[in-house]
Amino acid sequence: MKTLGRRTRLLAATTVTAGLVLVAGCSSSGSSGPTTVKGVHLVKGGQLTTCTHLPYPPFQSEINGKVQGFDVSLIDLVAKNLGVKQQILDTPFENFKTGAFLNSGQCDLAAAGMTITAERKKNVDFSDPYFEATQAVLVDRSSGINSLADVKAKGKKLGAQAQTTGEDYAKSKGFDPVSFASSDAVLNGLRTGQVQAVIIDYPVVQGWLKDKANADKFKVVDNLKTGEQYGFTVKKGNKALLDAVNKALKGAKADGTYKKIYEQWIGPYNASVASPAGS
């Protein structure tokens, strides 16, 4: 999986019950009950609690026992503006569509490389888009596949992460993809021959292929421009927090911080494709 660089502000991981992982700021003084900071209601005092789904490099993944990544670094900016530390809760991806953990008060916001869609907007409020995404078709070099169309024509198995726009895209093109629980599982399915091709977000592939062993065996044969944009989410109606997120994003783009974070985690920066302008 992708391990593009190191963050200067690291997060320490602590395992909690129910299979969830709580990742705390490096100097957290502990949490209390709900509180309000600078007009923003937080579910726990002294922290901005972020729901995510691990692993999803380069956006969020555990590296050397610490959760790091593009999304993590951007939400750190929001937490810093509020004068608190970010803490991360690892949760099932399907909860991001429904906003379940936001509605139950377990998290303040969600950051999981999530595409903004009209269907998801029914359950959560999205921030301004912070990243333009495309889908890649990754195949085993020995498969004889040279395009997405080849997958179907040659009767090969296609994989995708469950509950994602990649899986939706595959189904819209008449495929019945093998579903995997995470991006890590998708790539492992390709590596072990469970499938011969996968549809997966291009930034994930970009990092994965930096490993020469992976690049020698696998290749990208299609880049699908689906018009996807990623956004962070908050509970519907939580305008104060949404405004705080958008303010941090706007400021980061204006002062060059966004560009630095992008280059650290994603790669060479191209303003025309990295992120659309905020509303």
Side-chain angles (χ1 to χ4, degrees):
M1 298 306 294
K2 195 164 192 175
T3 56
L4 303 184
R6 300 288 301 276
R7 287 179 50 215
T8 54
R9 293 181 62 231
L10 302 181
L11 304 178
T14 304
T15 302
V16 294
T17 59
L20 301 178
V21 177
L22 183 66
V23 184
C26 55
S27 60
S28 174
S29 57
S31 61
S32 56
T35 188
T36 299
V37 177
K38 297 184 179 181
V40 175
H41 174 80
L42 300 176
V43 297
K44 290 186 179 180
Q47 68 185 59
L48 179 65
T49 309
T50 302
C51 270
T52 195
H53 179 63
L54 299 171
Y56 190 56
F59 297 94
Q60 52 272 322
S61 59
E62 188 173 335
I63 304 169
N64 297 326
K66 297 172 174 58
V67 175
Q68 308 175 58
F70 186 66
D71 284 2
V72 179
S73 295
L74 289 177
I75 298 301
D76 269 347
L77 300 178
V78 182
K80 181 179 179 181
N81 288 347
L82 295 175
V84 298
K85 298 291 183 180
Q86 179 181 189
Q87 299 219 5
I88 299 175
L89 195 65
D90 186 21
T91 64
F93 189 79
E94 54 266 24
N95 288 311
F96 296 102
K97 286 187 172 183
T98 64
F101 280 72
L102 300 173
N103 295 332
S104 64
Q106 290 176 264
C107 297
D108 295 301
L109 56 79
M114 185 161 66
T115 302
I116 300 170
T117 69
E119 184 65 27
R120 291 170 181 176
K121 283 182 177 180
K122 295 176 182 178
N123 298 316
V124 296
D125 285 341
F126 277 94
S127 70
D128 290 336
Y130 68 90
F131 184 79
E132 296 277 9
T134 59
Q135 296 286 328
V137 179
L138 183 69
V139 306
D140 189 307
R141 288 183 179 274
S142 65
S143 66
I145 298 171
N146 294 303
S147 67
L148 181 60
D150 268 357
V151 178
K152 184 178 293 184
K154 296 181 178 182
K156 303 293 185 179
K157 289 184 179 180
L158 178 69
Q161 183 177 345
Q163 305 292 320
T164 64
T165 52
E167 183 182 58
D168 292 342
Y169 183 87
K171 290 179 177 178
S172 75
K173 297 301 180 181
F175 289 92
D176 182 19
V178 177
S179 294
F180 295 92
S182 68
S183 60
D184 191 31
V186 172
L187 294 170
N188 190 57
L190 179 63
R191 183 189 289 115
T192 58
Q194 296 175 60
V195 294
Q196 290 74 53
V198 299
I199 292 181
I200 192 167
D201 286 5
Y202 183 70
V204 175
V205 173
Q206 192 176 29
W208 196 67
L209 292 179
K210 285 190 175 183
D211 184 318
K212 187 177 183 303
N214 292 334
D216 286 346
K217 190 173 182 182
F218 304 97
K219 65 178 180 177
V220 173
V221 294
D222 258 338
N223 198 304
L224 312 173
K225 295 180 183 291
T226 57
E228 294 180 56
Q229 298 176 344
Y230 288 173
F232 301 122
T233 63
V234 302
K235 182 179 179 179
K236 286 198 74 67
N238 192 349
K239 185 176 184 300
L241 180 53
L242 194 65
D243 288 347
V245 173
N246 287 335
K247 179 180 178 181
L249 290 174
K250 184 177 180 180
K253 291 174 184 178
D255 67 14
T257 302
Y258 178 93
K259 179 176 181 289
K260 291 178 182 178
I261 293 173
Y262 187 100
E263 290 175 339
Q264 178 184 5
W265 292 107
I266 308 297
Y269 181 79
N270 183 334
S272 66
V273 299
S275 175
S279 59

